[in-house]
Amino acid sequence: MASNSFGTIFKITTWGESHGKAIGVVIDGCPAGLEIEENEINEALALRAPGRNPYTSPRTETDRGEILSGVFEGKTTGAPICILIPNKDADSSKYEPIKDKLRPGHANFTYLEKYGIFDYRGGGRSSARETACRVAAGAIARKLLQKYGIKITAYLKQMGNVEAKIHDENIETIRLLTYQSEVFCPDREAASTMMALIENAKAAGDSLGGLIEFIAAPVPAGLGDPVYEKLEAKLAYAMMSLPATKAFEIGSGFQAVSMPGSMHNDLFIYQNEKTLTRTNNAGGILGGISTGMPIIGRVAFKPTSSIMKPQETITTDKEQALFQLPPGSRHDPCVAIRAVPIVEAMAACVLADALLLNRCARI
């Protein structure tokens, strides 16, 4: 299994399984001299951690990361940064009765086909537990971006048929309202409806999907490289590498197909000594390179595959079977909620890498 790293200069490599002793990340390429403390990483991890409220998984991981290397006296040294996150609340007993059944919507079938072995305890390496490592790396990437004045936020834009409305375009305001919400939605009215949807889904033994929007600004013009290293391609790669993702779009996204060119084109203007555009259908990227406008994208997450409803399946011996999670199983009713800080972290890693790569663009 060789695909455990992401990035070119700001490069992260994650390791560990859902029910192993620990998970972790090694971050290579972070410049020396960046101030970072463990508490900053742990504040980010706390946003993603399960067991926060009735709308997420009841698994109670505290998710406290420990910096093992690459930081001295509160500053990065330029050496690889290793962060360890222990697994403290893993309960593998719930997976014993179902270990020989193919779980609908899960990766045990494909892992068995490819590798001939699968760690069924919580999904092993395929589990979203791995994303805690990305959040830890993202905390460092965000700190690097802050040195250049770049801010990032993400929020739950849609759950089911309920869509949030944003009334303030200020990133800090959106982020504040997002993390005040139990479902990471800055629109209080929409958030309330979303919570009711979750309660109904849980009562029915079912789950829900969601759409997350991320915003980065102010991003300098010039980040990203054509042809195969386009900034939107890197963002898509980052987001679609997350568990349960099913679609990605940038700017106007799929709506662009119903717009004429005269409407979709973002017209250039010169304002406050900056070249800008009147609209931002491009999502802040043209030709794979940032324009200086806010970078705006969205990521769709499927409904959680682990549901309490019984489902037809087959065993690893190809026999018909009924799949049902054991009582007491712990899963998110909507994975998109806890994916908000993960999307934010991956956007930060992409932009940090692009920022460092841009130093090599010209003399």
Side-chain angles (χ1 to χ4, degrees), residues 47-80:
L47 295 174
R48 181 214 160 274
R52 291 167 52 90
N53 56 56
Y55 309 108
T56 62
S57 167
R59 180 172 173 174
T60 54
E61 293 287 1
T62 52
D63 279 352
R64 295 198 63 82
E66 180 185 1
I67 299 174
L68 301 183
S69 67
V71 177
F72 178 68
E73 294 183 343
K75 291 184 179 181
T76 57
T77 64

Side-chain angles (χ1 to χ4, degrees), residues 95 98 101-111 118 122-123 126-128 206-207 242-246 301-307 309-314 323-325 331 335:
Y95 294 89
I98 57 175
K101 296 179 180 179
L102 300 185
R103 300 178 64 189
H106 286 79
N108 60 338
F109 167 69
T110 51
Y111 270 56
F118 180 72
S126 70
S127 170
D206 220 327
S207 62
L242 294 173
T245 51
K246 286 299 169 187
F301 287 79
K302 69 177 183 178
T304 311
S305 295
S306 296
I307 58 175
K309 282 187 174 183
Q311 301 172 90
E312 292 182 4
T313 190
I314 60 173
F323 180 87
Q324 187 161 24
L325 290 171
H331 302 282
V335 295

Side-chain angles (χ1 to χ4, degrees), residues 18-20 89-97 119-122 330:
S18 178
H19 286 209
D89 190 36
D91 181 5
S92 301
S93 65
K94 298 296 186 293
Y95 294 89
E96 285 289 337
D119 183 351
Y120 62 83
R121 304 166 304 162
R330 304 176 299 179

